[in-house]
Amino acid sequence: MKVVDLHCDTMAELWYSQWDNKKPMELEKNSLHVDLEKLRKGDYLLQNFAIFVNLGRNLDPFESALSQIDIFYREMEKNKEKIRAVKTYEDIETNIQEGKICAMLTVEEGAVCKGKLSFLRILYQLGVRMMTLTWNFENELGFPNLRSKSSQSKYEYEFEKGLGLKKKGIEFLIEMERLGIIVDVSHLSDEGFYDVLQYTKKPFVASHSNARALCRHPRNLTDDMIRKLAQRGGVIGLNYSPNFLEEGETEEDCHSSVALMASHARHITNIGGIECLALGSDFDGIEGKLEMKNCSMLPLLLEALEKEGFKHSQIEAIFYKNVLHLYKELLI
């Protein structure tokens, strides 16, 4: 079955392999969760490649993003007979007809723009079509969903009021919608989520988030968020990370299994409907005990969804059709 994945960190890993003076890795074949060989085995139609910048490394965020974009396009050129970048829905249709895997550029960390709308417009011209407003740090646009703990439990957090989007973040929302850059609320604070709901008109996504009702990780979505995102016509990418799927005393206690993914899928679709769910692996940004060890193993998830009672047409919707429907509407 065809696969569309809303989020992976593979390009960042390729870049960091050069930055950290390791042996440089390539997209064709590597030791990561995602490479071309594994994508072909997994029957991928489209992979979103996130340009990810960790502000904690004290690198210039815009320059770092440009360096990763340079790697992205060099890899596309080297492998143009197998994979091709897409910017519009028409590009996706062309790649499908020609048997090419689609690659779409996204950004994980709105701080790459350094608060400048001109930088956002440059990223659009370079092919970026989706962006999270934050990662795990406060930035010029708003606040992430990392809050102070209210108890010794790993999963109990204070909901700090007023830490949503800043004025600059709202300006970015308006410009992103005008340009055609899809707003991604994964990593954004709870109040920021509702700010997005208030200040946007188009569908938006949570590219790699699960259900907080099943696992109290602060990055997961509440039922109300799932419902409202679905009502807007957006999609939620199922995250494969162990600590987004189950609770444990430590992260090492958590497992990533396809059965747990199927449980989150059932809950999300019960709340928001089948049309709101997609895949957002977070491959090459996650670690731990993974039953699906790389992107070639998606048939395991298909089987788990069948066991959960999903029909074939519903699994097709989750695996690729829901995202394609969204992209047909938003990629202009």
Side-chain angles (χ1 to χ4, degrees), residues 1-3 42-43 238 240 257-259 261-262 265 279 291-292 296-320:
M1 182 178 292
K2 294 298 180 183
V3 176
D43 199 20
L238 195 65
Y240 305 169
S257 71
V258 291
M261 294 178 204
L279 304 178
E291 183 176 4
M292 283 202 304
S296 72
M297 302 178 72
L298 266 292
L300 290 177
L301 180 56
L302 189 155
E303 293 173 6
L305 292 174
E306 288 176 336
K307 290 179 181 178
E308 186 66 32
F310 286 94
K311 299 176 182 177
H312 183 79
S313 61
Q314 293 175 318
I315 299 173
E316 283 185 320
I318 295 168
F319 266 48
Y320 70 101

Side-chain angles (χ1 to χ4, degrees), residues 15 51-53 59-72 105-107 109 111-113 123 126 128:
W15 179 62
I51 301 307
F52 164 62
V53 175
L59 303 173
D60 182 276
F62 187 63
E63 182 179 334
S64 300
L66 293 181
S67 295
Q68 290 182 46
I69 292 172
D70 177 59
I71 289 176
F72 174 83
L105 267 178
T106 72
V107 165
E109 175 54 271
V112 301
C113 297
L123 292 177
L126 291 174
V128 171

Side-chain angles (χ1 to χ4, degrees), residues 172-187:
F172 264 67
L173 286 182
I174 295 168
E175 185 67 357
M176 287 169 72
E177 286 205 319
R178 187 191 72 82
L179 289 169
I181 297 177
I182 300 168
V183 176
D184 183 355
V185 297
S186 283
H187 285 283

Side-chain angles (χ1 to χ4, degrees), residues 89-119:
Y89 191 75
E90 184 179 357
D91 292 341
I92 295 173
E93 291 182 312
T94 300
N95 278 9
I96 292 173
Q97 293 169 3
E98 298 182 2
K100 305 288 193 299
I101 299 171
C102 300
M104 194 172 94
L105 267 178
T106 72
V107 165
E108 183 176 32
E109 175 54 271
V112 301
C113 297
K114 301 169 75 170
K116 299 179 180 180
L117 291 172
S118 59
F119 284 7

Side-chain angles (χ1 to χ4, degrees), residues 264-307:
H264 279 263
R266 175 57 68 197
H267 182 86
I268 291 169
T269 55
N270 281 347
I271 298 299
I274 194 67
E275 297 83 3
C276 80
L277 185 60
L279 304 178
S281 67
D282 207 5
F283 271 148
D284 294 319
I286 60 175
E287 56 188 5
K289 302 169 184 176
L290 307 177
E291 183 176 4
M292 283 202 304
K293 300 185 184 304
N294 59 60
C295 69
S296 72
M297 302 178 72
L298 266 292
L300 290 177
L301 180 56
L302 189 155
E303 293 173 6
L305 292 174
E306 288 176 336
K307 290 179 181 178

Side-chain angles (χ1 to χ4, degrees), residues 65-329:
L66 293 181
S67 295
Q68 290 182 46
I69 292 172
D70 177 59
I71 289 176
F72 174 83
Y73 281 112
R74 285 193 284 117
E75 291 294 336
M76 293 301 107
E77 178 62 26
K78 282 191 297 185
N79 299 286
K80 60 187 177 182
E81 298 305 315
K82 301 170 185 176
I83 190 168
R84 187 180 297 161
V86 295
K87 300 178 182 178
T88 66
Y89 191 75
E90 184 179 357
D91 292 341
I92 295 173
E93 291 182 312
T94 300
N95 278 9
I96 292 173
Q97 293 169 3
E98 298 182 2
K100 305 288 193 299
I101 299 171
C102 300
M104 194 172 94
L105 267 178
T106 72
V107 165
E108 183 176 32
E109 175 54 271
V112 301
C113 297
K114 301 169 75 170
K116 299 179 180 180
L117 291 172
S118 59
F119 284 7
L120 179 70
R121 290 188 281 268
I122 289 169
L123 292 177
Y124 177 80
Q125 292 298 324
L126 291 174
V128 171
R129 292 297 182 267
M130 181 184 297
M131 186 173 80
T132 69
L133 300 170
T134 63
W135 185 57
N136 290 341
F137 298 94
E138 177 188 351
N139 63 23
E140 299 89 348
L141 309 183
F143 295 85
N145 214 358
L146 289 178
R147 304 179 298 273
S148 60
K149 291 186 178 182
S150 60
S151 74
Q152 295 300 313
S153 170
K154 176 183 172 185
Y155 297 94
E156 297 297 334
Y157 292 83
E158 295 286 356
F159 286 78
E160 299 180 56
K161 298 297 182 182
L163 299 184
L165 291 181
K166 301 177 182 179
K167 181 180 178 181
K168 181 64 68 174
I170 295 169
E171 292 176 7
F172 264 67
L173 286 182
I174 295 168
E175 185 67 357
M176 287 169 72
E177 286 205 319
R178 187 191 72 82
L179 289 169
I181 297 177
I182 300 168
V183 176
D184 183 355
V185 297
S186 283
H187 285 283
L188 190 60
S189 67
D190 286 7
E191 289 220 356
F193 175 96
Y194 289 103
D195 286 339
V196 170
L197 199 65
Q198 178 180 351
Y199 292 105
T200 61
K201 298 178 181 178
K202 296 180 180 180
F204 56 91
V205 307
S207 66
H208 51 303
S209 299
N210 293 338
R212 202 179 295 177
L214 300 189
C215 176
R216 291 174 290 164
H217 194 290
R219 277 268 287 99
N220 287 339
L221 302 179
T222 66
D223 286 357
D224 186 64
M225 292 175 181
I226 293 169
R227 190 176 295 109
K228 285 185 167 58
L229 186 151
Q231 290 170 348
R232 178 64 68 84
V235 295
I236 300 161
L238 195 65
N239 192 317
Y240 305 169
S241 180
N243 61 329
F244 284 54
L245 290 166
E246 70 170 353
E247 298 178 14
E249 288 300 317
T250 67
E251 291 193 6
E252 289 72 24
D253 295 327
C254 301
H255 298 73
S256 173
S257 71
V258 291
L260 286 169
M261 294 178 204
S263 295
H264 279 263
R266 175 57 68 197
H267 182 86
I268 291 169
T269 55
N270 281 347
I271 298 299
I274 194 67
E275 297 83 3
C276 80
L277 185 60
L279 304 178
S281 67
D282 207 5
F283 271 148
D284 294 319
I286 60 175
E287 56 188 5
K289 302 169 184 176
L290 307 177
E291 183 176 4
M292 283 202 304
K293 300 185 184 304
N294 59 60
C295 69
S296 72
M297 302 178 72
L298 266 292
L300 290 177
L301 180 56
L302 189 155
E303 293 173 6
L305 292 174
E306 288 176 336
K307 290 179 181 178
E308 186 66 32
F310 286 94
K311 299 176 182 177
H312 183 79
S313 61
Q314 293 175 318
I315 299 173
E316 283 185 320
I318 295 168
F319 266 48
Y320 70 101
K321 287 188 174 180
N322 287 340
V323 176
L324 292 186
H325 178 78
L326 182 78
Y327 285 178
K328 188 173 184 179
E329 178 180 355

Side-chain angles (χ1 to χ4, degrees), residues 41-53:
K41 289 181 180 178
D43 199 20
Y44 272 63
L45 187 158
L46 188 154
Q47 176 65 62
N48 283 8
F49 287 98
I51 301 307
F52 164 62
V53 175

